[in-house]
Amino acid sequence: MCYTNNMYIGVDIGGTKTLVAVLDDQGIIVERVRFLTPPVYEEFIAELTETARSLHTQDFRAGCVAAPGKIDRKHGIARDFGNLKWHDTPLQADAEHIFSCPMLVENDANLGGLSESMLLPADKNVLYITVSTGIGTGFIGHRRIVPELADSEGGHMLLPFHGKHVAWESFASGHAIVERFGKKAADITDAATWHRIAHDLAMGFIELIAIAQPQIIVIGGSVGVYYERFEPFLLYELQRAKNPLIDLPAIRKAARPEDAVLYGCYDLAHNTYGTNT
């Protein structure tokens, strides 16, 4: 195929909000729109259609939609959205109809990890953990989404909590933080609360490190934005619980914690349909 335009579209569907961005051929965001994610898929498609019409850019080489859940990549169908009650949605076909260009569909945590890995040495194995409405995990090897782990859902690991085994994200995600402490992460300033949050996050980190043994962990998402507030507590809890046979990886805040997924949309679309295609 031959493509003449050099603009890309990225759509990041979150459980609370959806971000839409136009990126140029160098991966620079030139337009950005945000809207609340409707609870009904058909309403979401209507909102996305109106957003597309409002963009100054109307001609795209390609794009990507990030979805929080399980993806049927062969058929472009989002099977399950986790915190959204959508199932078996024809997301790729709908997005291609809206934006009139080839579109990819991928898990949001994979895309966030992909974009952050592009800012790190190419030979590193990266585990991206996004702590937002839920908790997502993306495994990246040598700046590529690891296909064997592309459907991983670290947030759904069963961990002990208050005498039961429950999903990690049910007590450690951004949504859980609001439910448990009555505040969003942005509004939490006291050390004791952040230490409690860090302890609960560390429970999942330890399990993932033991299994995947990444060289670098990158923390993103709306809670990851405030990594500085809980970093010392997280490192303390990880050191306290670490397996002596396994080294702890380097841990860092995402360079672009709220936009990592949008940049990942660009990276995947550009790698697939870029100027050399």
Side-chain angles (χ1 to χ4, degrees), residues 50-113:
E50 288 303 310
T51 297
R53 290 172 179 165
S54 73
L55 297 172
H56 295 294
T57 306
Q58 293 291 310
D59 188 19
F60 300 102
R61 176 182 295 271
C64 179
V65 182
K70 188 173 182 179
I71 308 299
D72 177 349
R73 296 167 185 83
K74 181 178 180 180
H75 300 101
I77 294 172
R79 294 295 183 193
D80 183 75
F81 280 78
N83 289 303
L84 292 167
K85 304 304 179 184
W86 304 347
H87 304 282
D88 297 328
T89 57
L91 196 53
Q92 181 176 13
D94 287 341
E96 288 183 344
H97 177 74
I98 291 170
F99 294 105
S100 300
C101 69
M103 296 292 294
L104 300 165
V105 180
E106 185 52 79
N107 174 268
D108 56 354
N110 289 340
L111 291 167

Side-chain angles (χ1 to χ4, degrees), residues 28-254:
I28 297 172
I29 294 177
V30 297
E31 288 188 69
R32 182 200 306 267
V33 179
R34 168 179 171 165
F35 61 84
L36 295 178
T37 305
V40 178
Y41 179 73
E42 289 74 16
E43 294 175 359
F44 165 77
I45 290 300
E47 186 72 32
L48 185 61
T49 300
E50 288 303 310
T51 297
R53 290 172 179 165
S54 73
L55 297 172
H56 295 294
T57 306
Q58 293 291 310
D59 188 19
F60 300 102
R61 176 182 295 271
C64 179
V65 182
K70 188 173 182 179
I71 308 299
D72 177 349
R73 296 167 185 83
K74 181 178 180 180
H75 300 101
I77 294 172
R79 294 295 183 193
D80 183 75
F81 280 78
N83 289 303
L84 292 167
K85 304 304 179 184
W86 304 347
H87 304 282
D88 297 328
T89 57
L91 196 53
Q92 181 176 13
D94 287 341
E96 288 183 344
H97 177 74
I98 291 170
F99 294 105
S100 300
C101 69
M103 296 292 294
L104 300 165
V105 180
E106 185 52 79
N107 174 268
D108 56 354
N110 289 340
L111 291 167
L114 177 63
S115 74
E116 288 293 318
S117 75
M118 302 297 284
L119 306 175
L120 299 170
D123 62 340
K124 299 300 182 183
N125 293 321
V126 178
L127 167 59
Y128 180 77
I129 302 177
T130 174
V131 186
S132 193
T133 304
I135 296 178
T137 49
F139 296 86
I140 312 298
H142 303 276
R143 294 180 176 173
R144 292 288 185 270
I145 297 169
V146 178
E148 295 83 1
L149 297 172
D151 293 322
S152 67
E153 289 290 347
H156 292 271
M157 288 188 301
L158 296 181
L159 298 175
F161 183 73
H162 289 179
K164 299 179 180 179
H165 279 77
V166 298
W168 181 31
E169 68 175 20
S170 72
F171 63 89
S173 66
H175 177 75
I177 288 171
V178 174
E179 290 290 312
R180 293 176 63 195
F181 303 108
K183 296 180 180 179
K184 294 182 179 180
D187 302 319
I188 297 173
T189 56
D190 64 288
T193 301
W194 276 118
H195 197 159
R196 180 71 250 180
I197 293 169
H199 171 272
D200 296 338
L201 288 172
M203 292 174 65
F205 276 56
I206 285 293
E207 299 297 326
L208 292 168
I209 291 168
I211 295 168
Q213 298 189 36
Q215 293 165 294
I216 300 174
I217 292 178
V218 179
I219 304 175
S222 59
V223 177
V225 170
Y226 304 100
Y227 179 55
E228 292 86 356
R229 299 185 187 182
F230 64 91
E231 178 182 20
F233 307 120
L234 179 65
L235 296 180
Y236 168 79
E237 292 294 336
L238 291 177
Q239 285 289 345
R240 192 166 69 93
K242 74 180 290 290
N243 186 319
L245 300 178
I246 300 173
D247 293 331
L248 291 178
I251 300 176
R252 62 186 64 191
K253 174 182 176 179

Side-chain angles (χ1 to χ4, degrees), residues 7-12 17-24 27-35 48 51-52 54-57 60 99 255-264:
M7 307 300 284
Y8 295 83
I9 187 75
V11 180
D12 177 10
K17 66 181 182 300
T18 293
L19 302 175
V20 180
V22 177
L23 302 97
D24 67 16
I28 297 172
I29 294 177
V30 297
E31 288 188 69
R32 182 200 306 267
V33 179
R34 168 179 171 165
F35 61 84
L48 185 61
T51 297
S54 73
L55 297 172
H56 295 294
T57 306
F60 300 102
F99 294 105
R256 303 172 294 201
E258 295 196 275
D259 289 333
V261 175
L262 290 173
Y263 286 108

